[in-house]
Structures are given as structure tokens and as C-alpha cells.
Amino acid sequence: QRVREPKQQPHARGPPVALRAAAGASAGQPADQPSSSGSTDDKPKTLLGKIKHFFVGSKLEKEKLAALGMGAFASYGVISNITYGVCLTIAWAGFVKATGTSPLDPGQWKPFLAFYAGLWTIQNFVRPMRFALAVALAPAFERVIGWIGEKARAPKPVAFGILMVVIAVCTTAGLGSAISILAPGSLAPLLNHLAGKPPAAPA
């Protein structure tokens, strides 16, 4: 009697191609492309984008500030207020000395803005330094926010708002004092307006 030999099983060749493709798709990678971890370039490519980046800053910088918390935003605000305030004071005093009139006098605001534009542009070259300094001072401002929240018994967002109000008041007071010292009388049109006095007639 002839004994039937058992059939030999084929050698395992791995899962089918379709199965491998499905596994790759479930992992978020195309089946026919290798995985890559390259990063996208955040720098603008067009001329308009480069101009906007120069004056406004990049989205990456704002995202970094947001990731660092409220302290980074507060420190960056203080540093920006100081640098822009210094440039505004210099431009204000220089304009008064050069023209003999206040930027608040009738018809003088637009010439003053043109006078100030050069100093305002310079601020964009020091933006990286402002950002780096803001990151370095962020922990200190975080502690200040925490101290305000503890004393006022307020949540952190409220403490942050209180700090920003204090910063705004101090910045405005410092700016007004500096302009009054370096360009005496140049704020008279504003003060007269606040007091309800009619504007002085042009000479």
C-alpha cells in the first residue's frame, strides 16, 4: 500500500503587501515613503512676508513667548515699552529742538511721525535682544505675578492683568516725565485739552 506523503507548507514570506501598506497607513506614514522628521522653515519666502517679519516679528517668536507663560509676555512688554519709550522721547525732544514746535501743535503730528519713523525702524534690529532678555527675565516676572495673586487672593490671570495695568501706568508716567524734562512745554496742548482750554492760536 502506497503511503501518501504530507504536503509541504510554503516558507513564510512575511505579510502581504496590502497588509504592510495598511499597517504603514495606520502609523501615519505612506507605505512607499520612508519616515522623515524634517522641520519646516518658518522664515518668509516672499518680499512682502520678509517686510512683515521685519516690522511685526515671526509667529515662532510669539509661540515661544506663549509657551513660556505669562511671565514672558509681561517681561517682553516691559522691555518693549522701555525701548520704544526711549526712542519716542529722543524723537520728541529732537523734533521740538529742530522745529521749535510741539508735535501736538496743529499740523505738526504727521511731520513728527516722519521724524520718528527712523528711530522706530531701528527698534526692529534689537528685537532679538529684546526677546532673549524677556526669556531670561520671565521667571522673575512669574514670581511677581504669583506674589500679586497671593496678596490680592486672585487667580493668576487676574494677577497678570493687575501687573499689566501697573506697567502701563508706570510707563505712561515715566514717558510724560521724560518728555517734560527734555522738551519743557511741549505737552501743553495736551494738558490744555484735558483742562478744557481752547487751543492757542498759531503764531
Side-chain angles (χ1 to χ4, degrees), residues 186-200:
S186 60
L187 294 178
L190 176 62
L191 299 177
N192 292 336
H193 175 74
L194 295 176
K197 297 179 181 180

Side-chain angles (χ1 to χ4, degrees), residues 23-109:
S26 64
Q29 299 177 1
D32 56 345
Q33 294 182 1
S35 60
S36 62
S37 57
S39 59
T40 58
D41 191 6
D42 188 60
K43 295 182 180 179
K45 301 297 188 301
T46 63
L47 177 61
L48 182 61
K50 292 180 180 179
I51 295 175
K52 182 179 178 182
H53 176 268
F54 178 78
F55 285 101
V56 180
S58 66
K59 181 180 178 182
L60 182 60
E61 290 180 353
K62 298 175 182 178
E63 290 177 350
K64 287 181 178 178
L65 285 175
L68 290 173
M70 297 180 183
F73 269 106
S75 60
Y76 189 81
V78 170
I79 296 168
S80 297
N81 286 350
I82 292 174
T83 54
Y84 281 110
V86 169
C87 281
L88 178 61
T89 302
I90 294 174
W92 193 287
F95 182 83
V96 172
K97 184 177 181 180
T99 63
T101 60
S102 169
L104 300 177
D105 287 336
Q108 298 301 312
W109 187 248

Side-chain angles (χ1 to χ4, degrees), residues 102-162:
S102 169
L104 300 177
D105 287 336
Q108 298 301 312
W109 187 248
K110 287 185 178 180
F112 167 71
L113 291 181
F115 191 87
Y116 172 63
L119 288 174
W120 184 83
T121 304
I122 293 175
Q123 291 297 312
N124 294 280
F125 292 102
V126 299
R127 187 193 302 122
M129 290 185 291
R130 293 204 316 263
F131 182 81
L133 186 58
V135 172
L137 294 177
F141 278 85
E142 284 286 347
R143 290 192 292 270
V144 172
I145 295 173
W147 179 82
I148 294 175
E150 181 181 353
K151 295 299 181 181
R153 296 182 180 180
K156 189 174 182 179
V158 176
F160 173 76
I162 295 174

